[in-house]
Amino acid sequence: YVPKHAALQTAGVDLLKLLITPLYGDKPEMGVRELLQNAVDARLELEDYLGKNPPLPRPDLQEQSADLVISITEKEDGTKWLSVSDRGIGMTVDTILNYFLKAGASFRFSHAWRRQHEDEQGQTQVLRSGRFGIGILAGFLLGNEIHVSTRHITAQPSEGIRFVCRLEDDTIQLKHTTRPVGTTVSIQLPETVYSKLSKGYINWHSHILKGPALSWVWYCLNEPSVHLSILGHPVEQIYVLPSADSDLPPEWRRVQHPDFRDIHWTYLGNALPLTCNGIAVIDLSKEYDEEDDEDEDFGGEGFTRPKLSVFDPNGALPLNLQRTGLSVKELPFEAELVKDICYDILAFLLVNTPSKRPPPGGQAGRNAFKAEHLRHPGANTDRWILFTREGLALLELWDTQLPRVPEIYALTSRRLLAVLGNKSFQPHIPFFGEKELENILRGFPGIGGAGIKGCRVILHKRKIDSLTQRNSRLQKGEFLERMLGKLWHQEWENDTWLLMKQGECPLQELKLDKLPPEEGSDFAELLTIIYPGSLPRGNSLLAETWRETMDLPYIPFDLEKRRELLPVAYSRLASYIQAWEHLGSRRE
C-alpha cells in the first residue's frame, strides 16, 4: 500500500460559504433556532453534570432573568445586536476548536460527551437536540461576525474564553477572559435581517403569527426557562407543551416506545404539528392552513395526523438536515401511535354515545341530535358509526358481530318509512347531506369498508333540480346520465319521486304508490337503502381494537347497562375516559 494518510477533507472556509444557502436559504430565523438549540443543550448538560457530581458547589452562573435570555438590543451608535446568553455548562478549548468551529463535527458523538452524559447501558441522559454539527453555519445567516464568550464548569473564573469569527478569517484568535460559567453569543444584525426578525409574519397551522413572533416560537417548554425580548419589549412564548414524564392535561395522550424517552400527541392542544425536545420542527416556507393530503389518511386508518411532541435523547427521530421535517414518511412509532388513537376513539364513543337512541334524519332529527357530537377530532368523517335499536356500533362490524342486518336506512323520517310500509329492524346513519347524496349518485356510498353489496335511492325530483343548479352547465338529462352512468339503473318513477338501484338488491317490497305527491314538512327528500354484504378481507385496526376491548358489538344507549356490560373496556380505557369526561365537563 502507499504509506500516505488519505481521508475525505473539506475545502475549509470556501465550502462553508457554499453550504449556508442550500441548507438554510435566506431565513435568519433558522439562525435564531440554532443558537437557541445550542443554549438549551448546554443548560441541560450542566444539570446532568451537577447531578452526577453532587459534592460540587453550585457554579457562579450568569445573573439574568432566565436560564436562557435571547434579546435584540440597540447600542448608542444605532446598531442592532442579537444576543443569546445561557446559564449552561460552557465550552472548553477542545470543544471550541474541534466541534464548535468545525462544521459537521457534532460534540454529542464524541467520546468525551458520551463518557459524561451516557449511562452504563449507553443511554443518553440529556435531551440534547443538536446532532449534525452545523449550528455555527446558521449563525452567519444573522450577521458577518459572531462574537463568543464562554467559560466551562471546570474552568476558573479567569479561564473563560472569548473570540470573534468571520467566514473570511483564515485564523481565529482565542483570548482568556473573566466571566461566569456559561456562554454568550452576540451578532450585529444588518438592517435587512433585523427587519425580518422583528416584522415578519407567517401562517403556522391556523395561528397567524405577526410581528416578532415569527422568529421566536421555536421553544415550547417551560424548562429550561427562556426569556425573549426585542428592544426591551418581552416576546410571549406562544406554545407551552407538557414536559417529558409529566402528568398530562386532558387534551394530551402518551405513547411509549423503547427508542424515545416520551411521546405526547394531541388533536385539541395548542401546539405545532411537530416538536422534538421542545423545539419546533417546521418548514417556514410551508402554509399550514392548507390541507395536507398525506395527513388525511394517517396510518392507513382514515385518521388525521395528530400534533406530536417527541422527547428524543438518542437522536432516533429521523429529522432532515435542516430540521424542517422528517426525512422519512412513516414515523418510527407510527404503529403504536395509530393503536393509541384507536383506544382514544373508543373511549370518546363510550363517553359521548347518547343516553337514548337519536331520531332518524331530516330536520327534526338534526334539531334533536348533532352528528358532530360523535365525530372524534382525529377522524376524517362521522360516517363510520351507526345506531341500532340497542346502541351505537361501528359500520364495519355489521356482518360478523351484529345480528344479520338486511338493510340500512339513511336520511329518512319515521313517517316516510311508515308510508313505505316497512317496519322491520331499522338501524340508520344520521344526516346525509347534499354532498353525500352526490357521492352516492356517483357510485360511492361513502362508508368505506362496510361491505356494500347493493344500494337503492328513493329521491325527490326536487333534489335533482337542486343538484342540477349546482352543475349549471349541464341540462337535467345530461346531468343524470353523467352522474348515474352505467352503475345505476332506474327501477321506477312518478311525477315526484325516482327510484334507482346499484349492485345486488333484493326484490323491493316498499309501497311506492303510497309516496306523497308533494313533500311534507316532516318528509325527507331522500331515502337511501344500503344492503350490506360480506366484509372485505382484513378489518381496520379500529375494528380489531373494538373486538379486543369491547365485550359487545355495540355501546348501549342506557348508561347503567353501558358500565355493567362493558367492564373490560372501562378498565382498559380508564385514563382516556377520564380525560374525555373532563373535557366534556369543561365544555359544559
Side-chain angles (χ1 to χ4, degrees):
Y1 66 93
V2 178
K4 295 289 185 180
H5 174 74
L8 291 172
Q9 299 182 26
T10 69
V13 172
D14 291 335
L15 179 61
L16 296 185
K17 296 177 182 178
L18 294 174
L19 285 174
I20 294 175
T21 299
L23 275 175
Y24 298 111
D26 185 22
K27 299 184 181 71
E29 306 89 5
M30 307 293 272
V32 177
R33 185 198 66 189
E34 290 297 321
L35 295 175
L36 164 69
Q37 181 176 285
N38 289 344
V40 171
D41 288 348
R43 176 63 187 184
L44 295 176
E45 288 168 5
L46 176 65
E47 293 298 330
D48 184 61
Y49 180 88
L50 295 175
K52 291 176 178 177
N53 299 275
L56 291 177
R58 199 70 184 174
D60 57 320
L61 299 172
Q62 182 80 27
E63 292 186 7
Q64 54 189 41
S65 59
D67 296 324
L68 283 69
V69 174
I70 304 178
S71 60
I72 293 179
T73 57
E74 183 175 7
K75 293 190 175 182
E76 293 181 357
D77 61 1
T79 58
K80 309 293 194 307
W81 288 75
L82 174 80
S83 173
V84 179
S85 177
D86 69 63
R87 293 160 56 90
I89 198 168
M91 291 186 288
T92 64
V93 173
D94 180 73
T95 304
I96 294 170
L97 296 179
N98 294 314
Y99 300 100
F100 184 79
L101 295 177
K102 186 178 291 186
S106 177
F107 184 45
R108 71 168 293 160
F109 297 118
S110 68
H111 292 298
W113 192 92
R114 289 176 171 174
R115 283 196 307 270
Q116 181 60 56
H117 300 293
E118 289 185 354
D119 60 19
E120 295 179 355
Q121 288 73 41
Q123 296 298 311
T124 302
Q125 303 300 295
V126 178
L127 285 169
R128 183 176 173 87
S129 297
R131 61 172 74 178
F132 301 124
I134 55 177
I136 185 62
L137 296 180
F140 289 109
L141 293 171
L142 298 163
N144 297 325
E145 289 186 357
I146 300 177
H147 296 244
V148 180
S149 170
T150 185
R151 176 185 151 203
H152 192 258
I153 179 66
T154 60
Q156 295 299 314
S158 61
E159 295 177 342
I161 301 168
R162 61 183 174 88
F163 59 93
V164 178
C165 56
R166 309 171 187 83
L167 275 178
E168 62 271 14
D169 288 344
D170 294 325
T171 60
I172 295 172
Q173 187 176 50
L174 307 185
K175 297 180 180 180
H176 282 298
T177 188
T178 300
R179 59 152 295 150
V181 171
T183 300
T184 302
V185 177
S186 299
I187 303 172
Q188 182 179 341
L189 303 176
E191 192 60 35
T192 54
V193 172
Y194 168 73
S195 178
K196 287 184 178 180
L197 292 181
S198 60
K199 299 178 182 178
Y201 72 92
I202 194 167
N203 187 334
W204 277 3
H205 202 63
S206 78
H207 288 279
I208 306 297
L209 306 181
K210 294 186 177 180
L214 167 62
S215 310
W216 311 89
V217 299
W218 296 112
Y219 193 62
C220 304
L221 298 176
N222 273 327
E223 295 293 334
S225 59
V226 178
H227 181 258
L228 312 168
S229 68
I230 296 180
L231 302 184
H233 300 288
V235 177
E236 179 185 0
Q237 185 172 329
I238 298 175
Y239 304 98
V240 181
L241 308 184
S243 301
D245 311 316
S246 63
D247 294 332
L248 297 180
E251 295 88 353
W252 288 86
R253 306 290 181 267
R254 169 176 278 118
V255 173
Q256 301 291 341
H257 190 282
D259 293 340
F260 299 89
R261 177 172 167 181
D262 208 355
I263 303 166
H264 303 162
W265 65 271
T266 184
Y267 288 110
L268 303 176
N270 182 29
L272 290 165
L274 176 62
T275 59
C276 181
N277 298 338
I279 297 176
V281 178
I282 196 165
D283 186 351
L284 294 178
S285 64
K286 188 173 182 180
E287 293 289 344
Y288 281 93
D289 59 336
E290 298 177 358
E291 294 183 0
D292 190 339
D293 293 336
E294 292 183 0
D295 291 343
E296 290 186 353
D297 189 22
F298 175 61
E301 293 291 321
F303 305 145
T304 55
R305 185 189 294 271
K307 304 168 188 175
L308 291 167
S309 175
V310 182
F311 296 90
D312 177 26
N314 298 310
L317 191 66
L319 299 177
N320 61 28
L321 196 60
Q322 297 88 351
R323 295 182 63 91
T324 57
L326 298 174
S327 59
V328 297
K329 186 174 182 179
E330 185 171 311
L331 294 162
F333 46 84
E334 189 153 316
E336 291 83 356
L337 177 58
V338 175
K339 184 74 171 181
D340 207 55
I341 294 173
C342 290
Y343 287 135
D344 195 60
I345 288 176
L346 297 186
F348 171 84
L349 294 177
L350 283 170
V351 171
N352 290 286
T353 292
S355 57
K356 60 182 180 180
R357 178 179 172 179
Q363 190 59 46
R366 286 186 176 91
N367 292 337
F369 177 77
K370 293 183 178 180
E372 58 264 26
H373 289 169
L374 285 170
R375 180 167 182 171
H376 184 276
N380 283 324
T381 178
D382 50 18
R383 312 296 178 203
W384 43 278
I385 57 170
L386 65 90
F387 294 108
T388 70
R389 284 182 180 271
E390 298 297 325
L392 176 147
L394 293 182
L395 279 170
E396 49 196 323
L397 298 182
W398 285 347
D399 211 41
T400 55
Q401 290 195 335
L402 287 175
R404 187 75 179 103
V405 180
E407 52 204 25
I408 303 295
Y409 293 86
L411 192 65
T412 183
S413 68
R414 298 182 190 278
R415 183 174 172 186
L416 183 53
L417 283 173
V419 168
L420 291 170
N422 190 299
K423 299 179 180 179
S424 62
F425 176 66
Q426 297 159 4
H428 64 280
I429 310 165
F431 319 140
F432 272 13
E434 198 163 275
K435 185 64 176 178
E436 284 78 14
L437 167 62
E438 194 167 333
N439 286 336
I440 289 173
L441 292 177
R442 289 185 186 278
F444 175 65
I447 49 181
I452 305 300
K453 71 176 182 180
C455 182
R456 274 194 175 97
V457 173
I458 301 174
L459 179 65
H460 195 285
K461 288 184 176 180
R462 191 173 69 182
K463 179 62 75 172
I464 298 178
D465 294 337
S466 172
L467 291 173
T468 304
Q469 290 173 4
R470 291 175 54 192
N471 297 267
S472 57
R473 291 174 297 175
L474 300 175
Q475 297 297 319
K476 184 179 297 185
E478 295 174 316
F479 173 76
L480 281 176
E481 181 179 355
R482 187 169 298 191
M483 289 288 284
L484 304 185
K486 297 180 180 179
L487 294 175
W488 289 90
H489 304 279
Q490 182 174 318
E491 286 191 281
W492 171 89
E493 73 169 324
N494 64 14
D495 292 339
T496 309
W497 298 91
L498 181 66
L499 173 65
M500 297 169 293
K501 73 173 183 178
Q502 178 188 155
E504 300 177 22
C505 299
L507 291 174
Q508 67 91 5
E509 298 178 352
L510 300 174
K511 300 175 182 179
L512 299 173
D513 59 322
K514 301 292 185 182
L515 285 169
E518 292 297 333
E519 184 183 18
S521 60
D522 59 346
F523 281 98
E525 296 175 319
L526 163 75
L527 172 60
T528 305
I529 310 172
I530 302 168
Y531 303 98
S534 301
L535 283 169
R537 290 185 180 180
N539 271 355
S540 71
L541 182 62
L542 181 61
E544 295 300 330
T545 307
W546 180 297
R547 289 176 179 166
E548 296 169 6
T549 310
M550 303 288 196
D551 300 305
L552 290 174
Y554 61 91
I555 297 174
F557 294 124
D558 185 273
L559 294 174
E560 292 185 5
K561 284 186 177 181
R562 196 180 304 177
R563 289 192 172 272
E564 176 187 348
L565 299 177
L566 299 173
V568 174
Y570 274 91
S571 175
R572 288 185 180 178
L573 305 176
S575 62
Y576 303 87
I577 291 171
Q578 184 179 13
W580 281 114
E581 287 177 340
H582 183 87
L583 289 170
S585 64
R586 199 164 66 184
R587 286 197 301 268
E588 293 171 2

